[in-house]
Amino acid sequence: MKLDNRSSKLLEELMSNPSVTSKDIEQKFGLTRRQLGYSITKINEWLLTHKLPEIQRTRKGFFIIDESVFVTFSKGETLRQEDASVLSEQQRMYVILMMLLSKDDLSLIHFTSELKVSKNTILSDLKQSQQFIADYHVTIRYTRKDGYVLKGEEFQIRKLLLHVLDKFLRLKNGADLLSRLVDIKADDLREVTHRIESVEKKLNLKFTDERMATMPYSLILVIRRIKKGNLIRAFYIKYEELSDTKQYRATEEILYDFQDIPMEERLFITLYLLTTNVYWSEFLTEEAIPNLIEALDDMLRLFERRAVISIQDREQLLNKLLLHVKPAYYRIKYQLTEFSDGPQTVSQEFMELHHLVKKSTEPLAELIGMPIPENETTYLTMLIGGWLSKQGDSIKEKTKAIVVCPKGISVSRLMYSQLKELFPEFIFLDTLSVREFYHYPFAYDLVFSPIALETDKKLFISSSFMEREEKTRLRKQVMLEIQGYIASDLDAEEILTIVKKHAVISNEAELTKDLYRYLHRDDADAIRKQKGNEPAMTLADFITEETITLRDSASSWEAALKVGAAPLIRKGSIDRSYVDAMVGEVEKDPYIVIGPNLAIPHATPEDGVNEVSMSLLRLKKGVAFTEEYSIQLIFIIAALDKKKHLKALMQLMKLAGNTADQKALIEATDKEAILDIIRKYAND
């Protein structure tokens, strides 16, 4: 580790004048209290890398420096400063962009003079800069009159400014270089820093050190652009969305002596404050983001179910998440996610955890109205992963499984649901097609599939739909091989005896019943009630006289789908686009045939599903599906979620396994005869 220029000078000052006070150093070097604290932290980190004691500060502002530090430097130890004279190609690009963002009338001579490189090198750097800013829809233009300038919407240029500034300040001696390059005076920095610290007091929070190091420069440069007439003219944030926030009132205080700042610019600065990460806040409330705490709580519950983990001290973790997600909410909503602190990638150790966290962010994405970006979920992963480590939990120690099913989305989900219920102690990462399986990037221990697969992991062959006997056999087989015992050997009474030794039981009879139900659960447990205690729907709920169509034949598979889907279109349950999507799914998903004469065509909810629904087309003469299959019973499925239709699908799978009942359906002379058979499965 090397010290930056400012920290090196401060350490040299302390070595030569150990009786100096904090106030003396602040005045001599033109630093704020926050800047001095930041440099002392850097110095202490540097000392620790050299196995030297840290420098302490007293309440009165004096410094306590261990004798070993003086001894080390008296022996000739030098402070290795970072060399800022030689910049890489990427670093030169940041210098060029910062000049373009803050200066006018720029020519090649200005760039070559600043960077001490040739014109050809600058032209190459300008080309690279153009490629870098393309994502912001900003371009570099040259005219004889104006020289090199940036062209694009001002909001996009501001985003670019904040991004480049963050990168620039990470350069060697970046703060000193920036101050010289764009002429930022120490007094101006102190004044803006003082205003931001006043805002911290007003808002009862503390911004992170990384953000605090960049915020004064950001505000100075943004205000300069405003004064030069580079204004955000069409702002897509409504005044009402931000004007009630504390940050808006804080913006007014920061700009109290700037009378000519337009409303759009005040909203932009408010948004900047709202998107800035904080590491502490006295008041953690939802404020202008209704239902945020509920969404975070739902996210945690989804994660707990997927990771088979119970989070301890849940409220404390929720507070930590809220502290991060409040600014993240505005970053995501207004596409400013480049400016979040924290890691941009997940370490190998957290890959599977990150996958589970990403799959659990649905409530948060629904609240914001768009998917959670990778860099934001990465930070969520680190927060949750650190919390689990603190409580002594790790998903690495848990058995992780995947489900590989070649029979289409609905059957795969049913198989996944059954296995997850059958093995609640396992983490089920995903349900995959065979092609996805051979390129799956995450670590796992077990594979469940109805077909044989090439794998070096433990593979268990299981049916897409399992009866009670097969479930019992499979659980015994898996637990015996994985853990050396058979789960069904567990006895509720014995478990209760152990629990009573270590806990006070308020209702022994009810606990015994719950333990027994859990250890001896059957198929009915696989169908859970929906949110709000809404019962799962049966086959008879979906297949009614209104949704049954009887025909002798159909001219083609496509024609059969149109006829079979017609009742659902009439009801408004699906759009016509859903039928087209089902036709297109045939090539992608040839496994919708689940019985000799029975198929369950379906597409995705996004293809035009308005409500969960099913219909039945009965053909006396089968329609060709492929060269192998002629289909007479077509159950069209339109699902909105992964759960509501599962019970009906399980009953349909049972029907697919009963040849006699299929034949009775095909030979039925009226709809009532069909409904009698459907009710039999619905009541089973």
Side-chain angles (χ1 to χ4, degrees):
M1 175 186 175
K2 297 180 181 180
L3 276 178
D4 60 80
N5 187 49
R6 185 173 75 193
S7 299
S8 296
K9 289 178 181 177
L10 289 182
L11 184 53
E12 287 172 355
E13 177 71 18
L14 290 170
M15 291 296 99
S16 60
N17 185 12
S19 62
V20 69
T21 66
S22 296
K23 192 165 287 187
D24 295 334
I25 289 182
E26 288 169 14
Q27 290 175 349
K28 181 173 182 178
F29 290 94
L31 302 177
T32 65
R33 185 184 303 176
R34 176 73 68 84
Q35 289 171 328
L36 174 60
Y38 185 75
S39 287
I40 294 297
T41 299
K42 291 293 181 186
I43 291 170
N44 283 335
E45 289 175 356
W46 185 86
L47 290 171
L48 289 173
T49 62
H50 289 71
K51 299 181 179 178
L52 292 169
E54 294 181 343
I55 294 173
Q56 306 293 326
R57 278 197 288 178
T58 69
R59 290 184 177 180
K60 293 185 177 181
F62 290 99
F63 296 90
I64 302 174
I65 307 173
D66 193 272
E67 186 179 353
S68 60
V69 177
F70 290 103
V71 171
T72 299
F73 290 107
S74 67
K75 292 178 180 178
E77 177 71 31
T78 57
L79 302 177
R80 295 176 293 170
Q81 297 179 17
E82 298 183 354
D83 182 9
S85 61
V86 181
L87 298 177
S88 68
E89 184 180 19
Q90 187 180 55
Q91 290 168 339
R92 290 199 307 272
M93 179 187 74
Y94 292 138
V95 172
I96 288 171
L97 288 173
M98 184 53 69
M99 291 174 72
L100 288 166
L101 285 160
S102 54
K103 294 185 175 186
D104 299 321
D105 303 320
L106 291 168
S107 66
L108 284 177
I109 294 173
H110 291 98
F111 296 129
T112 56
S113 175
E114 177 63 41
L115 293 167
K116 307 293 188 292
V117 293
S118 69
K119 286 186 179 181
N120 285 338
T121 300
I122 293 297
L123 289 171
S124 175
D125 291 341
L126 283 167
K127 186 176 180 180
Q128 183 188 3
S129 300
Q130 179 59 69
Q131 293 172 348
F132 177 78
I133 66 178
D135 288 341
Y136 294 88
H137 306 290
V138 176
T139 57
I140 300 172
R141 299 280 178 84
Y142 175 79
T143 64
R144 289 186 177 182
K145 179 185 175 183
D146 300 321
Y148 286 96
V149 294
L150 294 174
K151 292 290 185 181
E153 291 184 9
E154 181 61 19
F155 185 76
Q156 295 296 326
I157 292 176
R158 296 282 177 85
K159 288 175 65 175
L160 177 63
L161 169 62
L162 296 176
H163 191 178
V164 171
L165 177 61
D166 184 67
K167 298 292 185 183
F168 201 100
L169 291 174
R170 296 175 191 269
L171 296 178
K172 302 169 183 178
N173 303 322
D176 293 336
L177 176 59
L178 179 67
S179 295
R180 179 186 61 76
L181 184 68
V182 300
D183 191 26
I184 295 178
K185 299 289 190 287
D187 287 345
D188 293 335
L189 274 177
R190 275 196 294 270
E191 173 61 24
V192 175
T193 301
H194 173 70
R195 294 189 186 195
I196 295 171
E197 288 174 343
S198 296
V199 164
E200 287 183 313
K201 292 177 183 176
K202 296 278 186 184
L203 300 182
N204 294 301
L205 55 77
K206 290 287 184 183
F207 296 114
T208 62
D209 286 341
E210 289 87 350
R211 291 301 101 198
M212 197 62 193
T214 61
M215 287 176 74
Y217 296 97
S218 303
L219 291 172
I220 287 172
L221 293 176
V222 165
I223 291 170
R224 282 186 184 179
R225 288 193 65 84
I226 295 170
K227 287 184 173 181
K228 286 165 64 175
N230 298 308
L231 303 177
I232 295 174
R233 303 197 184 279
F235 205 41
Y236 61 94
I237 302 173
K238 295 179 180 178
Y239 172 79
E240 295 79 12
E241 287 186 87
L242 303 183
S243 60
D244 287 337
T245 63
K246 289 182 179 179
Q247 282 78 1
Y248 183 80
R249 294 192 290 276
T251 298
E252 293 296 290
E253 292 192 25
I254 290 175
L255 302 176
Y256 73 89
D257 52 349
F258 294 91
Q259 302 302 321
D260 54 347
I261 305 293
M263 179 59 65
E264 289 83 2
E265 297 296 352
R266 294 172 186 271
L267 289 176
F268 178 83
I269 294 172
T270 300
L271 181 60
Y272 176 64
L273 293 177
L274 282 165
T275 58
T276 299
N277 280 353
V278 298
Y279 74 83
W280 173 84
S281 177
E282 183 177 347
F283 302 111
L284 279 172
T285 61
E286 291 176 314
E287 291 182 356
I289 314 176
N291 305 317
L292 178 57
I293 293 176
E294 182 183 353
L296 286 173
D297 192 47
D298 288 345
M299 182 188 80
L300 277 186
R301 293 191 191 286
L302 274 176
F303 171 76
E304 285 177 308
R305 288 203 294 272
R306 287 193 167 101
V308 197
I309 279 174
S310 179
I311 291 175
Q312 300 169 15
D313 300 321
R314 180 188 196 81
E315 289 301 317
Q316 292 182 38
L317 177 56
L318 268 175
N319 284 342
K320 280 185 172 290
L321 290 170
L322 184 61
L323 202 63
H324 169 73
V325 171
K326 281 181 69 176
Y329 172 90
Y330 292 100
R331 283 197 297 267
I332 297 166
K333 188 170 183 178
Y334 300 113
Q335 291 87 54
L336 291 168
T337 55
E338 302 97 312
F339 316 121
S340 62
D341 301 328
Q344 299 298 304
T345 57
V346 178
S347 65
Q348 192 64 38
E349 176 188 2
F350 287 118
M351 287 291 286
E352 291 73 42
L353 178 68
H354 183 54
H355 180 62
L356 295 172
V357 170
K358 283 175 69 174
K359 292 180 72 172
S360 304
T361 57
E362 296 164 7
L364 195 56
E366 187 176 344
L367 177 71
I368 298 174
M370 58 184 63
I372 309 302
E374 181 70 17
N375 59 340
E376 300 289 355
T377 55
T378 296
Y379 197 85
L380 291 174
T381 298
M382 302 310 291
L383 277 176
I384 294 173
W387 198 262
L388 294 181
S389 299
K390 176 182 166 185
Q391 72 179 44
D393 261 319
S394 170
I395 70 166
K396 281 193 168 295
E397 299 168 2
K398 295 181 179 291
T399 301
K400 291 178 284 296
I402 56 173
V403 179
V404 182
C405 181
K407 295 189 176 183
I409 297 171
S410 287
V411 177
S412 298
R413 286 174 177 170
L414 176 61
M415 185 176 177
Y416 178 88
S417 175
Q418 287 184 308
L419 288 166
K420 194 168 174 60
E421 294 295 331
L422 189 58
F423 299 101
E425 60 273 81
F426 294 170
I427 295 174
F428 281 86
L429 293 170
D430 275 304
T431 175
L432 309 168
S433 68
V434 175
R435 280 173 294 179
E436 290 171 330
F437 167 67
Y438 286 117
H439 301 284
Y440 192 61
F442 304 113
Y444 56 89
D445 307 296
L446 311 177
V447 185
F448 293 92
S449 177
I451 62 172
L453 299 165
E454 290 184 24
T455 176
D456 57 354
K457 304 296 183 182
K458 292 183 184 296
L459 171 66
F460 296 95
I461 304 295
S462 60
S463 302
S464 303
F465 176 78
M466 291 179 283
E467 296 286 358
R468 185 179 301 179
E469 287 184 8
E470 186 177 356
K471 285 184 178 181
T472 302
R473 175 195 60 76
L474 182 63
R475 182 161 177 86
K476 286 183 177 180
Q477 177 191 356
V478 172
M479 301 311 291
L480 193 58
E481 187 162 345
I482 299 300
Q483 298 184 353
Y485 69 88
I486 297 174
S488 58
D489 289 340
L490 296 174
D491 182 83
E493 295 293 339
E494 291 181 7
I495 293 174
L496 188 64
T497 302
I498 296 170
V499 172
K500 286 164 67 175
K501 290 180 181 178
H502 305 280
V504 177
I505 300 170
S506 60
N507 193 325
E508 188 172 320
E510 285 302 313
L511 178 57
T512 304
K513 286 180 184 178
D514 287 343
L515 284 171
Y516 185 84
R517 285 192 206 105
Y518 177 75
L519 295 173
H520 301 280
R521 63 196 180 283
D522 58 21
D523 296 348
D525 291 320
I527 306 301
R528 295 193 173 184
K529 290 185 178 180
Q530 304 301 306
K531 197 170 185 178
N533 295 321
E534 182 185 348
M537 297 179 74
T538 69
L539 195 57
D541 293 323
F542 290 114
I543 305 301
T544 63
E545 187 171 346
E546 188 183 6
T547 60
I548 296 173
T549 304
L550 304 180
R551 290 286 188 275
D552 288 337
S553 62
S555 59
S556 66
W557 176 252
E558 183 175 348
L561 289 183
K562 289 180 179 178
V563 172
L568 301 185
I569 293 175
R570 282 196 299 270
K571 287 176 61 182
S573 301
I574 62 172
D575 299 330
R576 294 186 184 279
S577 58
Y578 191 73
V579 181
D580 298 330
M582 285 193 294
V583 173
E585 285 292 320
V586 172
E587 292 182 6
K588 302 181 203 172
D589 186 10
Y591 296 100
I592 61 176
V593 177
I594 60 171
N597 297 299
L598 195 153
I600 52 168
H602 54 272
T604 64
E606 295 77 19
D607 291 320
V609 180
N610 300 319
E611 65 176 354
V612 181
S613 51
M614 293 174 68
S615 65
L616 166 62
L617 171 62
R618 194 288 314 273
L619 300 172
K620 285 195 172 180
K621 181 182 177 183
V623 62
F625 175 71
T626 63
E627 292 182 2
E628 299 175 44
Y629 295 110
S630 176
I631 305 300
Q632 292 172 277
L633 299 171
I634 300 175
F635 286 85
I636 289 175
I637 298 176
L640 270 177
D641 57 38
K642 299 178 181 180
K643 296 179 180 180
K644 200 168 183 181
H645 69 298
L646 276 185
K647 185 169 188 175
L649 185 58
M650 288 178 70
Q651 293 163 352
L652 186 55
M653 296 293 285
K654 286 186 177 182
L655 173 58
N658 191 313
T659 306
D661 283 336
Q662 284 186 57
K663 185 179 178 183
L665 285 176
I666 293 166
E667 294 176 352
T669 57
D670 55 40
K671 293 183 180 181
E672 189 57 39
I674 288 176
L675 288 172
D676 285 341
I677 297 170
I678 294 295
R679 292 187 194 107
K680 181 173 76 172
Y681 284 89
N683 295 328
D684 188 357

